[in-house]
Amino acid sequence: MLWETVQLAQREIRRNVLRSSLTILGIVIGVAAVIALVTLGRGATLQVTEQIASLGSNLLQVRPGQGFHGPGGASASADPFRSEDAEALSREIPGIRAVAPVTSRSTQAIYGNLNWSTSVTGSTNDYLTARDWPLQSGRSFSDSELRAGSAVCLLGATVKKELFGNMDPLGASIRLEKLSCQVVGVLQAKGQSSFGSDQDDFILIPLRTMQRRIAGNNDVSSIFISARDRATIDKTKEDINKLLRERRHITAGQEDNFNVRDMQEIMATLTGTTKILTTLLGAVAAVSLLVGGIGIMNIMLVSVTERTREIGIRLAIGALGSEVLLQFLVEAVVLSTFGGVVGIILGLSGAALAARALAMPFVLSPQIVVVAFLFSAAVGVIFGYFPARQAARLDPIEALRHE
Amino acid sequence: MNESAATITKPTPLLIELRGVTKIYGSGAAAMSALRGIDLHIDQGDFVAIMGPSGSGKSTCMNILGCLDTPTDGDFFFEGVEVGRMNRDKRALLRRHYLGFVFQGYNLLNRTSALENVELPLIYRGVPRAARRARAQAALAAVGLAGWENHTPGELSGGQQQRVAIARAIVTEPRVLLADEPTGNLDTARSREVMELITTFNREHDLTVLMVTHEPEMAAYAKRQVHFLDGLIVPGPNQGGDA
Ligand SMILES: Nc1ncnc2c1ncn2[C@@H]1O[C@H](COP(=O)(O)OP(=O)(O)OP(=O)(O)O)[C@@H](O)[C@H]1O
Ligand SMILES: [Mg+2]
């Protein structure tokens, strides 16, 4: 009986293809929007989550200058740090796991006749600890290399690929500006950073080497710190602040001339923004579904009026009110779920295209597809019920007289 | 006319009994008495023509007999069971299982083939598809429409449409066929065809028929006639009526 009713509904719907298509347009748009947004939103969230993980756990970055200057932003004209600042931090603050003084600059790396522009960072092995960055092959720097400022380097995955392809770079010598240095290790690939830059396009050399042989001064442009515990990170930040103010001779009342950034906090803010955006657009989509539902209700009411005589015939022949109700309800649900299916297909293809265009991961979530389908069916039930009840309550004698 | 001869000479089981049935439309000052106390006995296998002037209550009575409407007062027994005050669903089930309807305006589903129109009551009876098809085809053949199964009402003449309607009414093998002016829209030749058909079902299948008609020629096909006037059953113009 139910299957018969579904078939009947399909036939009624096909009788008026244009009207049916226009009726379900609202549902199609609503569902497509929900599906596309949620799929893209999940992709974005996944991306951000991966980036948070790739930053290193509980990473704090201390830079000279005030406030947050954005990615690679200029840090005003405040004094740079010294290696001693980093040593003091690791010595005096208990909540710290690793402290890595860092100085970076962009440079050309040359191997044989290959030339690759990348960035070179001078730091210590703590840099790798702070950023949870394991080696793929070779070794990290030895204490004597760090102390002496030896010409050794670790390659990021991208640099390794560009200069060496599939060859083993260990032991080879590359040239960084005037410095010829020996490759002692290769880092594991980390992928893109939150700001779209390639984290693996990078060469690490001992800080001393950087200061003496490339930069020509003893400046430390920023300090990477890995806090021991997320729970006490605020206290750790405070301690860092206090110590650095002391060391930089900032008197009470004077503003900091450095800033401590919590990378995960920044990421969390980004994720939050994505969430708000998804919620907002989801609300728009919900409104669209509501409008679609009203469209279905409207067309079903018209249909009941148009088919009053048919309803009269069915009732006279012995159809129960509930059977007529079911017939119209099924018709509304078939309409709305069809709209839902079309919307799901459109939404997923739209999301796939957008994900490709935005270089974002495409995360197909089966739950949201099921939810969208059930939701569109529910729209049919909710908005089809009233017209269907109208039909079921018709008086057969009156309905048969209807022209 | 000797339409009452059969009922008098051969006692048959009582199928339908109306006792003091009244029907009042509206209420208060606008109240309108369409039936004012109808007593009627109809036996299994009877063929009754209901006649009377316009507005005399024929259709009102047919609607009550067809369980489409309920009497305001009085009793309506179907096979000894009081059905006049049954609820909507119970009356629908009575119609589904015991009654067949033919209307003046055919009342077929548009844009739906003759075969599917005839299948319709079987769907509500839950007859499986194959059996349904076969029975509908047999019913169409019985009304002389073999070969017209796939035509929609729009492609059929009035007479053919009414025959499809008859096929739809008898396909469930009902106990009673109710026909309100079944020939009202047809010319004389088509009307006779329809009447021959109904008479055949009455005779050969012991189908009880209640038919409203204005035309004495069509009423003559019935076994007896009942005359309505102002909501009451009256003796007919030629003393042919009997309640
Ligand atoms: N739904 C209704 N509401 C109010 N009055 C009604 C209704 N149906 C019928 N009537 C009135 O009841 C009376 C009987 O009507 P009915 O339709 O039974 O007459 P009829 O004998 O079938 O007439 P006709 O030969 O014209 O079909 C008429 O006066 C009619 O106006
Ligand atoms: Mg009438």
Side-chain angles (χ1 to χ4, degrees):
Chain A
M1 185 72 201
L2 188 67
W3 180 234
E4 303 262 5
T5 315
V6 171
Q7 283 179 313
L8 183 70
Q10 281 174 342
R11 203 162 62 174
E12 283 304 328
I13 289 163
R14 256 181 281 140
R15 268 189 188 159
N16 223 325
V17 174
L18 181 64
R19 189 163 90 178
S20 305
S21 337
L22 289 175
T23 304
I24 63 169
L25 207 56
I27 301 271
V28 170
I29 293 170
V31 169
V34 170
I35 291 279
L37 290 173
V38 171
T39 308
L40 285 176
R42 296 222 170 177
T45 311
L46 177 74
Q47 201 175 26
V48 171
T49 318
E50 277 174 354
Q51 285 161 358
I52 291 175
S54 79
L55 276 173
S57 53
N58 305 337
L59 185 67
L60 301 172
Q61 193 182 1
V62 187
R63 296 172 155 224
Q66 293 168 344
F68 177 28
H69 295 279
S75 31
S77 54
D79 291 341
F81 296 111
R82 304 273 152 211
S83 305
E84 295 75 42
D85 293 323
E87 280 156 23
L89 283 170
S90 79
R91 202 174 46 238
E92 291 180 25
I93 296 176
I96 287 180
R97 185 165 65 108
V99 177
V102 167
T103 293
S104 299
R105 71 163 54 181
S106 57
T107 185
Q108 297 283 321
I110 300 162
Y111 176 69
N113 55 358
L114 291 172
N115 192 327
W116 182 247
S117 58
T118 180
S119 77
V120 60
T121 295
S123 189
T124 61
N125 289 330
D126 277 344
Y127 182 81
L128 300 180
T129 314
R131 299 207 52 196
D132 288 336
W133 204 337
L135 282 162
Q136 164 132 50
S137 61
R139 57 171 180 84
S140 50
F141 305 126
S142 70
D143 284 347
S144 59
E145 282 165 349
L146 287 165
R147 247 180 284 120
S150 309
V152 288
C153 65
L154 302 174
L155 301 186
T158 304
V159 177
K160 185 253 167 194
K161 195 183 80 202
E162 293 297 333
L163 292 183
F164 294 92
N166 289 328
M167 289 188 305
D168 182 7
L170 294 184
S173 274
I174 60 169
R175 270 168 47 75
L176 304 170
E177 298 186 7
K178 289 159 288 175
L179 174 73
S180 167
C181 66
Q182 195 192 12
V183 179
V184 297
V186 178
L187 299 169
Q188 269 185 16
K190 243 187 197 296
Q192 289 221 322
S193 82
S194 48
F195 310 112
S197 60
D198 181 359
Q199 300 181 87
D200 299 318
D201 190 0
F202 151 95
I203 297 171
L204 188 67
I205 60 176
L207 179 66
R208 263 287 155 75
T209 318
M210 182 74 183
Q211 288 170 331
R212 284 198 196 149
R213 315 280 290 268
I214 293 178
N217 58 39
N218 282 336
D219 295 352
V220 166
S221 56
S222 67
I223 302 172
F224 281 65
I225 299 166
S226 174
R228 216 175 278 285
D229 190 356
R230 183 89 227 156
T232 58
I233 200 156
D234 286 335
K235 167 83 171 90
T236 309
K237 271 157 85 175
E238 240 169 67
D239 292 346
I240 293 169
N241 216 54
K242 221 159 107 196
L243 182 65
L244 287 177
R245 279 178 75 92
E246 231 167 74
R247 292 184 62 84
R248 291 164 78 83
H249 311 294
I250 302 169
T251 51
Q254 226 177 327
E255 273 192 58
D256 297 347
N257 61 2
F258 61 94
N259 65 82
V260 183
R261 290 158 57 183
D262 182 343
M263 300 312 278
Q264 279 190 38
E265 212 166 76
I266 294 167
M267 282 299 141
T269 316
L270 277 179
T271 323
T273 316
T274 321
K275 270 187 189 144
I276 290 168
L277 214 67
T278 311
T279 314
L280 220 84
L281 294 172
V284 172
V287 168
S288 175
L289 273 181
L290 183 75
V291 172
I294 292 168
I296 285 189
M297 176 144 84
N298 183 31
I299 238 47
M300 290 308 295
L301 282 173
V302 169
S303 178
V304 167
T305 310
E306 277 179 356
R307 287 153 65 192
T308 299
R309 218 173 153 81
E310 175 198 325
I311 297 163
I313 294 167
R314 290 178 183 277
L315 290 170
I317 274 172
L320 297 174
S322 56
E323 287 164 340
V324 171
L325 182 111
L326 186 73
Q327 182 190 338
F328 279 84
L329 207 54
V330 164
E331 212 170 301
V333 171
V334 167
L335 261 181
S336 68
T337 49
F338 184 68
V341 169
V342 172
I344 287 169
I345 294 168
L346 280 182
L348 286 179
S349 356
L353 285 179
R356 177 181 284 189
L358 299 171
M360 270 172 38
F362 172 80
V363 189
L364 175 68
S365 116
Q367 304 105 287
I368 191 66
V369 170
V370 171
V371 165
F373 182 82
L374 293 180
F375 210 86
S376 57
V379 165
V381 171
I382 292 163
F383 291 94
Y385 182 76
F386 178 68
R389 203 188 52 171
Q390 298 276 93
R393 285 192 176 176
L394 283 176
D395 173 23
I397 302 168
E398 300 284 334
L400 282 172
R401 248 189 241 134
H402 192 267
E403 277 316 307
Chain B
M1 296 189 190
N2 60 350
E3 62 283 340
S4 59
T7 40
I8 290 166
T9 55
K10 192 175 72 182
T12 42
L14 183 63
L15 183 64
I16 290 171
E17 187 183 2
L18 295 187
R19 259 193 238 150
V21 165
T22 65
K23 181 72 187 181
I24 299 171
Y25 288 114
S27 59
M32 147 85 217
S33 237
L35 296 178
R36 300 190 291 146
I38 300 288
D39 298 306
L40 188 63
H41 293 214
I42 293 163
D43 293 326
Q44 171 72 46
D46 208 349
F47 184 172
V48 181
I50 296 174
M51 301 193 69
S54 191
S56 57
K58 307 184 295 292
S59 294
T60 304
C61 190
M62 281 295 266
N63 288 340
I64 290 171
L65 288 166
C67 300
L68 289 166
D69 208 348
T70 51
T72 307
D73 205 357
D75 299 314
F76 169 19
F77 295 98
F78 188 91
E79 289 197 315
V81 180
E82 162 65 64
V83 299
R85 260 169 288 279
M86 279 184 171
N87 69 22
R88 210 177 130 96
D89 280 353
K90 282 191 176 153
R91 281 186 284 124
L93 291 174
L94 266 176
R95 295 199 293 276
R96 177 184 298 187
H97 291 289
Y98 299 108
L99 308 180
F101 289 88
V102 177
F103 306 92
Q104 178 176 357
Y106 321 134
N107 279 333
L108 300 174
L109 296 187
N110 294 326
R111 297 182 297 180
T112 305
S113 73
L115 189 69
E116 284 168 312
N117 264 291
V118 177
E119 278 184 43
L120 194 61
L122 297 177
I123 292 179
Y124 288 112
R125 280 189 164 202
V127 177
R129 176 178 294 253
R132 213 161 68 203
R133 200 125 284 202
R135 281 173 71 175
Q137 264 162 351
L140 278 174
V143 299
L145 283 178
W148 295 85
E149 286 86 353
N150 295 320
H151 289 67
T152 60
E155 300 162 358
L156 297 170
S157 73
Q160 288 172 321
Q161 287 186 58
Q162 195 59 304
R163 281 191 277 158
V164 173
I166 292 171
R168 184 182 63 191
I170 56 105
V171 73
T172 56
E173 295 171 3
R175 303 290 297 279
V176 184
L177 179 73
L178 297 122
D180 196 345
E181 302 193 44
T183 59
N185 284 5
L186 302 176
D187 62 36
T188 312
R190 273 350 101 198
S191 297
R192 283 182 189 144
E193 283 176 22
V194 164
M195 289 315 302
E196 299 285 356
L197 206 54
I198 292 177
T199 311
T200 311
F201 284 116
N202 171 247
R203 265 202 236 107
E204 294 179 4
H205 301 276
D206 204 30
L207 174 69
T208 309
V209 179
L210 304 178
M211 177 184 77
V212 172
T213 182
H214 280 288
E215 300 159 90
E217 188 194 338
M218 305 310 147
Y221 283 90
K223 288 179 182 166
R224 63 185 179 113
Q225 299 177 0
V226 169
H227 290 265
F228 273 66
L229 187 65
D230 286 339
L232 289 169
I233 290 178
V234 296
N238 304 325
Q239 299 291 322
D242 146 14

